[in-house]
Amino acid sequence: MKPIFSRLAGGHLDDATLAAIWTSTPAAGATLPAGAADPHLASCGECRVRYDAFASWMEEIRADARMEAAEIFTPERLAAQQAVISRRLEAAERPARVIAFPKFPAGGSGRTAPVRRWIAAAAAAGLLVGVGLGSIMDLRHVAERRGFPATRTVQQPRVDATARAVVPASAVVSEELLLLELEAAATPQYEALRAYETLTPRAADFLQSSR
Amino acid sequence: MAGAKPAGSPAREADGAAASAVKSAQAEGRLADARERYAELVGRHQRRASRIAFHYLRDAAEADEAVQDGFVKAYSHLQTFREEFPFEVWFTRILINGCLDRIKARTRRERWITSMPDGPGGERDFAERTAGHGPSPEDQLLAKERGRRVATALAKLPDRQRTVFMLSHYEGCSSREVGAITGLNESTVRVHLFRAIRKLRVLLNEANL
């Protein structure tokens, strides 16, 4: 490091220079042999006094810091610290332990656990079978074959397409119209969903196909 | 310089031997042996480590935690330690990095939470301290006040200057050792030390110390 040997009036060394000299000694803070770093320091008593004051100020700071730390970190505290470190090292080397989640309250319901499991499994299986059958079979046709009307529709005489076209809407108010109205009301107005909407089967299609 | 140990000193050789023994015990799965040998290293370095951590963090409990973390981390990464370097230097680097991380985390917390005013070591530390046969109460009080101001001024220094100052001045490390810990060359260490002292003088003059 190049010390900045700036001078005060009268050629005396300034504070920064004294600090530079202090730090440039082989071991900072060691007793400086007179004139070792700066010839002026060797010859000027005033600068020498200032340098010594600076060095003792630095030493004071160090002593304060060490004393403060020594007061806090007593041998007992350090022993406790070492014990904590040992425990942590030991804990870190132990394999991780998985804590079991509590299964049931201590009321003794543990004996019915297999029964509960069977019930849950049967319910799930029943649900799956029901959904599967429902999707495969059209229950309406099953009901009709057994003689029950699937829906309460008014039996109307068969008419051709042109005749149906002229029948006033009020005369044939049926579930179909109601469903169509509901569907129209529920149809989202977003363009992005149009594609999904076209792919989605409509209730009206089912009703028409069932006729 | 009280804290510095010359290269090849018995303490340093003992550190190297202990670190090698811990490494080989770890590698062979003799974990209890490894921990036992490592306790020697902890015992030799924990006082100095606690002091360094405390000067950084200014909180005794947090310094304790930082030292514990540092030793645990050093133990778990001991396989990366190379014996040609002193254990002290390697470990101090780990410790200081941990302290700096804690300071950053604390700064983030303080941005959101108003901290309670307390002394340099916190209220709990004050209660823990006992009166000794040292200087008079007035001198102790003055020293504490001076220490508090110096610590406040030190906290205002840039990380590197503070690290260099604390290691050089408080711990008595040579420029070479500080360079090994911080990764700076010796002349840069001296420049940082000079700047740190100059800035400290200015800050403390402003505080009339």
Side-chain angles (χ1 to χ4, degrees):
Chain A
M1 173 190 162
K2 277 190 177 175
I4 313 139
F5 287 159
S6 56
R7 309 275 164 169
L8 299 171
H12 294 303
L13 305 176
D14 66 1
D15 254 17
T17 310
L18 293 178
I21 294 170
W22 187 86
T23 51
S24 64
T25 53
T31 313
L32 183 72
D38 187 76
H40 177 81
L41 197 59
S43 58
C44 178
E46 196 182 322
C47 286
R48 186 80 197 179
V49 168
R50 283 179 52 237
Y51 178 83
D52 290 343
F54 173 81
S56 67
W57 175 76
M58 289 296 290
E59 187 51 42
E60 215 169 46
I61 287 178
R62 183 164 63 158
D64 288 348
R66 285 190 158 241
M67 190 180 74
E68 189 182 20
E71 272 180 15
I72 293 168
F73 296 100
T74 57
E76 297 79 35
R77 187 172 190 140
L78 292 176
Q81 190 188 68
Q82 189 164 12
V84 174
I85 291 167
S86 298
R87 275 203 302 275
R88 282 184 62 181
L89 292 180
E90 207 176 335
E93 281 170 352
R94 238 182 274 138
R97 198 157 54 98
V98 179
I99 299 170
F101 192 81
K103 287 176 189 167
F104 297 103
S109 58
R111 291 168 76 187
T112 60
V115 178
R116 284 188 181 193
R117 248 178 261 141
W118 276 111
I119 292 169
L127 183 68
L128 283 173
V129 168
V131 170
L133 284 175
S135 64
I136 293 166
M137 298 169 64
D138 190 344
L139 295 176
R140 178 191 302 276
H141 290 301
V142 175
E144 277 176 356
R145 259 184 262 129
R146 287 182 183 175
F148 300 112
T151 49
R152 273 196 198 176
T153 49
V154 179
Q155 292 294 324
Q156 288 179 348
R158 277 185 164 265
V159 285
D160 59 356
T162 49
R164 274 181 73 186
V166 293
V167 173
S170 57
V172 284
V173 175
S174 65
E175 283 179 26
E176 186 179 338
L177 280 174
L178 180 66
L179 287 169
L180 284 170
E181 277 174 17
L182 282 172
E183 201 171 312
T187 302
Q189 299 302 311
Y190 307 108
E191 286 303 315
L193 297 174
R194 291 266 180 232
Y196 292 108
E197 194 198 350
T198 51
L199 288 171
T200 310
R202 290 159 184 272
D205 299 339
F206 286 108
L207 287 172
Q208 280 170 359
S209 66
S210 69
R211 289 206 170 152
Chain B
M1 299 262 127
K5 295 180 194 100
S9 71
R12 201 159 269 181
E13 281 168 14
D15 281 353
S20 297
V22 175
K23 271 170 85 169
S24 56
Q26 278 179 331
E28 290 162 18
R30 293 181 286 112
L31 299 177
D33 283 353
R35 284 199 303 273
E36 200 175 311
R37 288 308 301 270
Y38 191 68
E40 287 175 29
L41 283 170
V42 173
R44 270 203 290 276
H45 294 283
Q46 69 174 148
R47 179 177 288 279
R48 180 175 169 276
S50 302
R51 212 163 45 215
I52 292 174
F54 178 71
H55 291 319
Y56 267 100
L57 301 165
R58 306 300 303 166
D59 180 280
E62 207 177 353
D64 263 337
E65 285 172 20
V67 172
Q68 289 166 22
D69 288 351
F71 277 117
V72 170
K73 197 171 182 183
Y75 180 80
S76 55
H77 291 86
L78 204 63
Q79 297 301 327
T80 63
F81 168 65
R82 287 180 295 163
E83 279 83 355
E84 59 261 32
F85 294 111
F87 174 81
E88 189 183 6
V89 167
W90 181 71
F91 170 72
T92 307
R93 201 174 217 174
I94 293 174
L95 179 71
I96 289 175
N97 285 338
C99 289
L100 291 175
D101 286 346
R102 278 174 180 272
I103 289 170
K104 277 181 203 154
R106 187 200 284 173
T107 312
R108 276 197 298 272
R109 275 201 308 273
E110 281 170 359
R111 225 175 274 153
W112 303 101
I113 303 163
T114 314
S115 61
M116 286 180 67
D118 62 7
E123 287 302 317
R124 57 194 159 193
D125 301 322
F126 180 77
E128 284 166 14
R129 288 176 207 171
T130 51
H133 303 286
S136 69
E138 289 84 3
D139 287 345
Q140 281 185 341
L141 199 67
L142 277 173
K144 259 176 205 157
E145 177 60 16
R146 197 167 48 218
R148 193 184 61 76
R149 287 187 184 179
V150 171
T152 308
L154 261 178
K156 290 179 184 167
L157 297 182
D159 281 349
R160 275 194 177 166
Q161 285 181 20
R162 186 172 27 166
T163 300
V164 168
F165 180 84
M166 287 202 280
L167 291 174
S168 300
H169 193 48
Y170 288 172
E171 296 309 318
C173 296
S174 66
S175 302
R176 191 178 197 172
E177 287 167 325
V178 177
I181 292 168
T182 55
L184 302 169
N185 64 42
E186 284 184 54
S187 56
T188 313
V189 167
R190 283 180 186 280
V191 169
H192 280 305
L193 180 60
F194 166 69
R195 285 182 184 161
I197 292 169
R198 197 173 55 176
K199 197 165 182 183
L200 268 184
R201 292 279 281 182
V202 171
L203 289 168
L204 293 172
N205 279 338
E206 282 168 6
N208 297 321
L209 189 76

